[in-house]
Amino acid sequence: KLAELMPSGLGKADIARLDLYSGGKADEKIQLSRLPDSADEWQIDNHFRAPVDAKKIGDFLDMLLLLRGEVRHESVSADGLKQYNLADDQAFHVVGFKKDEANPAFHLLIGKQADYKQVFARTADGDTVFVVDKSPRRDAGLWDEDTNKAPEASVWVDKTVAKLEQDKITKIELKTPGRHLILEKREKPKPEAEKPSESGEQGSENDTAKEEKPEYEWILAQG
């Protein structure tokens, strides 16, 4: 049997903030929050309020909500949790909050790998060790098991400077204090029509259509 690690009924839209940190460096957490009145826009609160990659955070939330665990051991002692890297100061913490609520909606601890695909996990208020087949720790950019390594903000930042539809761009202008260049996308000159052969035969309709399809090239129009 697989147990749900997330609260029953919790939806993606309910999660308004995530705190991510390694137990060994709890003071170096990454705090992600959803922008007010937005379904999929997030920012990194403690990293210049940088925008979060929408797909990254969307996939991460989907993964969390679908987490299921197979029970490995129940009623594990505090010392026993250490062998799974699930003590508070060892594990990777994922804490989720609902909007305007100070108490967490969920708090998961992710431990070391059980095998090359699975990791150990538990809830913060529980002493049952689960095995799960997804690793929030790896998805947050922490691939080794160094519990003293803190998550980095760069994993979450949307680094897109401008979204361009490349096929629709027909002109680019570059300006510097000492140079001005203009590049333009223009239709290539059409080659002269082929002369009819001695037999008087003309090309087929398909050949004509192929020849009439415009081709484009980029040229230096100025500079």
Side-chain angles (χ1 to χ4, degrees):
K1 291 184 178 180
L2 296 178
E4 293 186 5
L5 272 68
M6 299 291 281
S8 178
L10 184 69
K12 193 173 180 178
D14 298 325
I15 304 172
R17 195 183 100 207
L18 289 175
D19 287 357
L20 311 174
Y21 61 92
S22 295
K25 289 195 174 181
D27 57 336
E28 297 183 32
K29 66 183 177 182
I30 298 297
Q31 189 175 86
L32 312 174
S33 68
R34 188 191 303 274
L35 297 186
D37 304 320
S38 177
D40 54 12
E41 291 181 283
W42 287 65
Q43 68 180 19
I44 308 177
D45 292 341
N46 55 349
H47 187 72
F48 313 108
R49 295 183 180 178
V52 173
D53 184 296
K55 185 177 187 310
K56 174 77 175 177
I57 187 65
D59 291 347
F60 191 75
L61 293 174
D62 287 338
M63 177 270 297
L64 289 177
L65 292 171
L66 292 174
L67 272 184
R68 304 288 187 274
E70 179 184 350
V71 175
R72 176 58 59 93
H73 289 294
E74 296 179 321
S75 302
V76 181
S77 66
D79 286 338
L81 291 174
K82 293 180 180 179
Q83 66 178 310
Y84 302 103
N85 279 7
L86 283 175
D88 285 353
D89 61 350
Q90 293 176 309
F92 179 71
H93 295 247
V94 182
V95 191
F97 298 83
K98 292 184 178 182
K99 187 177 180 180
D100 299 327
E101 292 192 8
N103 295 323
F106 64 88
H107 187 164
L108 299 177
L109 280 73
I110 308 301
K112 67 182 181 180
Q113 290 187 209
D115 55 37
Y116 74 101
K117 285 185 177 180
Q118 300 175 315
V119 297
F120 295 112
R122 72 176 176 93
T123 58
D125 59 353
D127 54 10
T128 297
V129 174
F130 298 93
V131 176
V132 296
D133 62 357
K134 304 291 182 183
S135 175
R137 190 174 188 275
R138 285 198 297 264
D139 286 354
L142 298 174
W143 291 88
D144 56 48
E145 295 190 21
D146 181 3
T147 56
N148 288 319
K149 187 173 182 181
E152 297 181 0
S154 60
V155 175
W156 299 95
V157 176
D158 183 355
K159 301 179 179 70
T160 303
V161 176
K163 295 181 179 180
L164 303 176
E165 295 183 66
Q166 185 173 328
D167 293 340
K168 294 184 178 181
I169 303 299
T170 59
K171 181 178 178 180
I172 298 176
E173 194 167 350
L174 307 174
K175 289 184 178 181
T176 70
R179 181 174 296 179
H180 184 195
L181 303 177
I182 296 178
L183 309 174
E184 290 185 357
K185 183 179 180 181
R186 295 180 182 176
E187 185 176 341
K188 285 184 177 181
K190 294 180 180 179
E192 295 183 7
E194 294 183 4
K195 295 180 180 180
S197 62
E198 293 181 0
S199 62
E201 294 180 354
Q202 300 288 339
S204 67
E205 291 183 4
N206 289 338
D207 291 339
T208 302
K210 185 177 181 181
E211 291 174 2
E212 291 178 352
K213 185 178 180 180
E215 294 185 3
Y216 297 89
E217 62 183 352
W218 282 91
I219 67 165
L220 181 62
Q222 181 179 320

